[in-house]
Amino acid sequence: MNIHPFIQRHAADFVALRRDLHAHPEIGFGEHRTAGIVAEKLRDWGIECSTGVGGTGVVGVLRGRGEGPTIGLRADMDALPMQSRLNVPWASKVNGVFHGCGHDGHTTSLLMAAHCLASNVDFAGTVVFIFQPAEEALGGARAMLADGLFNRFPCDEIYGWHNWPDLKLGSLAVMPGPVMAGADFFDITLMGRGAHAAQPHLGLDVVPAVSELVLALQTAVSRSVDPIEAAVLSVTRIQAGSAYNVLPETAALAGTLRYFNPEVAEILRQVLHRTSNGVAAAHGLKAKVESRPFFGVTFNDAHMTERAKACAASVVSADRIIQTMRPSLGSEDFSDMLHVVPGAYLFIGHNGGVALHHPEYAFDDDVLPIAASVLVELVRSDRNPTPGKEK
């Protein structure tokens, strides 16, 4: 692999940094220590730095020697609210908080790229380093956008990446079009009448109704959505009652919808409301249904995808670029940035087959120099004019 020499020389230092971040994970919008380290590093390397963007976000700006486009490079910084079972010296020191998705690696690789580019600004244009808070279903990208991210730091194109255990180390996938799903979150409350468990006829029991509703919702996809379309409806939480001998007055469930097609999303929302109200009515109950779009579809621009592919091939070779990976029904709030600025989202493989968000997930440090070198190439590579724009 063609790892940039500067990155190769400093790789051990950044592995130590990544492991330090792993040992001190922080939940979204609470990444104060992480953001402080990022800002300190950027300033030490002579990169203009703004903090507090969208809460705890950090943005660095580095200008090259000649005229050219402004390229945004984004990494997420937050950890997950989950317990780690990883048995390594740098395991999480924070109970119930864990970098189980590899954002510590994303942050570190972007810092590696920033250090490399700052060491020799032999590129045209400007690069904007975006360290985003709160990617894990907390709306960090939207918070940065609401804080004027692209008004304050305009970009012509933007790129992000995610480590991907399903791909081998040295492999990389980037495809045009939808690559990660849009997602809604929903909450449903069934309201009945409580009673003593020995006298159920005096109440309106929500427990059998919520049980029936969970099963009924499983047909939302199979019987309402074109089988060719990708869609998921998952119930992920059920809450009802607090005693052995009391029929509760309310029951609540929550979950998520996943889709690539906005029309499919609307069908799922309609089925969610219709089924919930129908089951409630059949049991003499009332239903309150709330659904809200949270992640947009992550959509790669075709032109930027080709650029990313060419840049990645110069690092890992063209035969290791996977172009047939199926889109993921997981979601990513980098989608919000791609809806404003065209760009591409890449998946970079690494050793270790434990899935993301698993308590034994382990980030492979060997991917750091690969990812950083690809990010550097996205800035430094020879460029053709973007369609519709002058040189």
Side-chain angles (χ1 to χ4, degrees):
M1 275 180 275
N2 185 24
I3 303 300
H4 193 284
F6 182 93
I7 289 171
Q8 194 70 65
R9 286 198 303 271
H10 293 271
D13 293 336
F14 282 98
V15 168
L17 174 60
R18 202 283 302 175
R19 293 178 179 182
D20 175 76
L21 295 178
H22 189 89
H24 302 89
E26 296 171 300
I27 294 296
F29 294 122
E31 308 95 336
H32 301 291
R33 180 181 185 273
T34 304
I37 291 172
V38 168
E40 181 182 15
K41 296 290 186 185
L42 295 179
R43 287 172 179 143
D44 285 348
W45 302 328
I47 298 173
E48 296 175 22
C49 182
S50 298
T51 59
V53 183
T56 45
V58 180
V59 178
V61 177
L62 181 65
R63 293 174 177 83
R65 291 200 173 102
E67 294 295 323
T70 299
I71 301 172
L73 301 176
R74 172 269 198 182
D76 35 21
M77 301 187 293
D78 58 323
L80 286 158
M82 62 181 288
Q83 189 65 41
S84 171
R85 292 207 307 260
L86 198 59
N87 184 23
V88 292
W90 54 90
S92 173
K93 299 180 184 296
V94 184
N95 188 47
V97 184
F98 171 45
H99 269 299
C101 200
H103 295 186
D104 49 342
H106 301 166
T107 295
T108 303
S109 63
L110 185 52
L111 283 173
M112 294 173 82
H115 194 192
C116 180
L117 290 165
S119 70
N120 184 6
V121 288
D122 58 344
F123 60 90
T126 300
V127 57
V128 178
F129 305 101
I130 302 169
F131 294 86
Q132 182 205 307
E135 189 278 330
E136 296 289 356
L138 293 173
R142 292 182 185 180
M144 294 191 85
L145 291 170
D147 202 12
L149 174 64
F150 292 128
N151 293 324
R152 297 163 62 184
F153 312 99
C155 295
D156 296 308
E157 55 197 80
I158 189 168
Y159 301 91
W161 78 279
H162 208 295
N163 72 94
W164 212 244
D166 292 343
L167 298 175
K168 294 180 179 180
L169 180 69
S171 295
L172 184 148
V174 58
M175 310 82 69
V179 295
M180 297 193 81
D184 289 16
F185 294 153
F186 64 81
D187 293 276
I188 303 169
T189 303
L190 298 182
M191 296 162 282
R193 184 169 65 242
H196 194 291
Q199 297 175 306
H201 60 291
L202 299 180
L204 291 172
D205 193 355
V206 295
V207 173
V210 75
S211 303
E212 182 178 322
L213 179 56
V214 172
L215 296 176
L217 288 174
Q218 302 311 305
T219 64
V221 173
S222 65
R223 290 298 176 268
S224 301
V225 176
D226 186 333
I228 295 175
E229 296 280 0
V232 171
L233 187 158
S234 292
V235 175
T236 58
R237 186 173 71 238
I238 305 173
Q239 296 172 315
S242 58
Y244 288 102
N245 58 350
V246 178
L247 298 182
E249 285 199 334
T250 63
L253 57 82
T256 183
L257 312 175
R258 303 292 169 121
Y259 48 84
F260 294 112
N261 184 338
E263 293 180 1
V264 169
E266 189 55 37
I267 291 171
L268 291 174
R269 292 169 193 143
Q270 292 174 7
V271 171
L272 186 73
H273 283 74
R274 184 173 68 243
T275 305
S276 301
N277 286 306
V279 169
H283 289 263
L285 312 175
K286 293 183 178 179
K288 178 183 178 182
V289 185
E290 297 178 332
S291 63
R292 55 201 179 278
F294 202 88
F295 293 104
V297 176
T298 304
F299 192 92
N300 282 354
D301 177 88
H303 180 72
M304 305 309 169
T305 298
E306 288 304 312
R307 277 216 66 245
K309 200 180 298 180
C311 292
S314 69
V315 176
V316 301
S317 78
D319 61 344
R320 294 186 178 185
I321 306 297
I322 310 299
Q323 303 180 51
T324 56
M325 191 178 96
R326 292 185 300 176
S328 169
L329 279 158
S331 297
E332 163 62 64
D333 77 351
F334 184 58
S335 59
D336 292 328
M337 296 186 185
L338 288 175
H339 288 170
V340 181
V341 176
Y345 194 63
L346 298 81
F347 303 89
I348 303 182
H350 65 86
N351 288 325
V354 178
L356 303 170
H357 293 217
H358 188 281
E360 295 175 5
Y361 162 83
F363 184 88
D364 178 9
D365 286 318
D366 287 341
V367 79
L368 291 173
I370 300 172
S373 294
V374 171
L375 296 176
V376 167
E377 279 300 306
L378 286 165
V379 175
R380 280 187 170 160
S381 64
D382 293 336
R383 309 178 57 83
N384 294 316
T386 302
K389 296 184 179 180
E390 298 180 358
K391 284 187 179 180

